Amino acid sequence: MIPMSLADIAAALEGKLNETADPEAIVTGGIEFDSRKVGPGGLFLALDGANVDGHDFAAQAVDQGAAAVIASREVPVPAVYVDDGLRAIGALARTVARRSEAAVVGVTGSNGKTSTKDLIGRLCAALGPTVATEANFNNELGHPYTVCRLRPETGYLVLELAARGLGHITELCEIAPPHIGVVLNVGISHLDGFGSIETTAEAKSELPRFLGPEGTAILNADDPRVARMAERTRATVVTFGVERPADVTAADLDPHDGRHRFTLRTPDGEAPVALRLWGGHHVPNALAAGAAAWRLGMGTERIAAVLSEAGRQSERRMDVYTLADGTTIIDDSYNANPASTGAAIRALGQVPTAGRRIAVIGLMADLEDQSEDCHRRAGEQAAAAGVDELIAVGGGTEPVVDGFAGDGREHRIGGADGAAATHVPDQSAAVDLLRTRLRPGDTVLVKGSRYRTWDVADYLRAKEDHRQ
């Protein structure tokens, strides 16, 4: 964190120092809400969770070197007392952001946020010291936590902006106002919070609408809902796309072995890119990241070189590895919605394999009354991609099997030998079925909303030999 005195921190949080806190003490480390991660000179944010009360670990944090604790009740160590710890870290992040000169890049969209954020982070790191959202720390806690990691020397701050309702992205932007805002796409996701794709588009548009005239809005020309956001921003608009004319685009697109190659074209020139990331959906992600880097002053050839070097950084996202017997595993189990599931299935269809293509598909959550249609569509996409066997896991995924069998393929439920599509009640049953069905040389995709296929992925991961 940018060094601040406890007195300054208390003022920023509208809090009060307790008697044991030294107002002149300087906080030089970061802020942590896990006491085990607190380091010398840092702050410990004591949150009252559903299962654990952070205040019980205040003394431990100070013993580990914390300069003070941010607390909402009395603790026997140096502390800043506040009414609400979650609001306090947001207020602290606002102060840290105001004291920083870092260029801030915000990324949002229904799909691809984390992968694109990772790519932008790699590109910015080639320009100078960079802080980027870890994993998907993109909510009301993870976002300010990331901002508080800024140091005086940080030149670039890359933030993933998520929302489950209107106003959420605006709230995140107010903490650390972006100079560049990237909108990837608008799709069917989190309908429990948004209610409709139109509301989702309105929520995503909060990022370009927040930008001022000195900012840059990077918009997907291939997504009509995103492209129309150009009319609602005061910022300079830079477009990216594959199918429609754009400022930053991909020519000579070659699917190769599932790790796509293309010629990157920007207003300043062109250069070849050979992605290490699996799946065609990473092409627009790479273009969006390249557009951000181009606006930050990076040359086209350097952008292409960094994109070609970038590997997967976040867990359970198109993590492709090979077992000792030649079986290939595609672990994309971190989360799922209709667009990301379709992209993963298409990637499975493109990966070279000596054996069969097997898709293990878990529930796509939060789809409300569109759930049945979306799951049936996933089965249809698997059939179209040439998937040889499909395993649908858990309640709500039965339509995946129906969609897969819609073209007249063999359709048996319950794991009968030779079945092309099988529905199983849970992950344990899916693992049992894979034990009997998986053969050397097969390629297996594991996809589902959070936790719903993780046990399957972990079973396969335990057999891991080496990554590709």
Side-chain angles (χ1 to χ4, degrees), residues 207-456:
L207 176 54
R209 285 189 284 133
F210 186 91
L211 299 169
E214 71 287 351
T216 301
I218 296 177
L219 305 178
N220 185 353
D222 294 336
D223 187 321
R225 290 185 176 87
V226 177
R228 284 195 293 270
M229 294 178 191
E231 303 168 2
R232 306 183 66 187
T233 183
R234 297 171 295 162
T236 298
V237 173
V238 174
T239 58
F240 68 93
V242 178
E243 300 171 357
R244 300 182 182 181
D247 298 311
V248 177
T249 189
D252 309 317
L253 190 60
D254 177 8
H256 191 48
D257 61 356
R259 291 172 288 193
H260 286 55
R261 297 175 176 179
F262 59 90
T263 299
L264 172 68
R265 288 181 176 170
T266 77
D268 290 340
E270 62 180 46
V273 174
L275 293 178
R276 294 175 57 198
L277 301 170
W278 292 85
H281 56 294
H282 283 302
V283 174
N285 295 346
L287 295 177
W294 176 72
R295 284 298 287 177
L296 290 169
M298 183 178 282
T300 304
E301 290 188 1
R302 183 62 177 141
I303 293 171
V306 175
L307 290 175
S308 298
E309 295 165 359
R312 181 194 58 82
Q313 289 182 248
S314 298
E315 293 298 322
R316 301 184 187 271
R317 292 175 174 86
M318 293 305 292
D319 185 3
V320 182
Y321 56 94
T322 303
L323 306 182
D325 63 2
T327 302
T328 298
I329 310 301
I330 306 173
D331 181 359
D332 197 35
S333 64
Y334 183 81
N335 212 344
N337 59 35
S340 67
T341 298
I345 288 170
R346 288 191 293 274
L348 172 62
Q350 293 174 337
V351 173
T353 181
R356 299 164 303 156
R357 291 182 170 88
I358 300 173
V360 181
I361 305 297
L363 184 74
M364 295 180 283
D366 304 330
L367 295 178
E368 301 300 303
D369 59 358
Q370 297 193 42
S371 181
E372 183 175 346
D373 288 343
C374 289
H375 284 90
R376 181 177 289 106
R377 176 59 180 154
E380 294 169 351
Q381 290 171 323
V387 171
D388 298 295
E389 184 160 347
L390 182 145
I391 302 171
V393 184
T397 63
E398 293 88 350
V400 180
V401 174
D402 296 335
F404 187 82
D407 64 352
R409 288 178 171 229
E410 186 176 2
H411 175 187
R412 297 178 188 169
I413 299 177
D417 184 47
T422 306
H423 178 266
V424 294
D426 53 35
Q427 295 188 67
S428 177
V431 169
D432 289 342
L433 187 58
L434 282 172
R435 286 195 178 102
T436 64
R437 300 294 298 164
L438 198 59
R439 303 170 189 165
D442 287 347
T443 297
V444 185
L445 166 69
V446 184
K447 183 69 175 174
S449 282
R450 288 191 183 186
Y451 312 114
R452 291 169 174 86
T453 53
W454 284 17
D455 291 347
V456 177

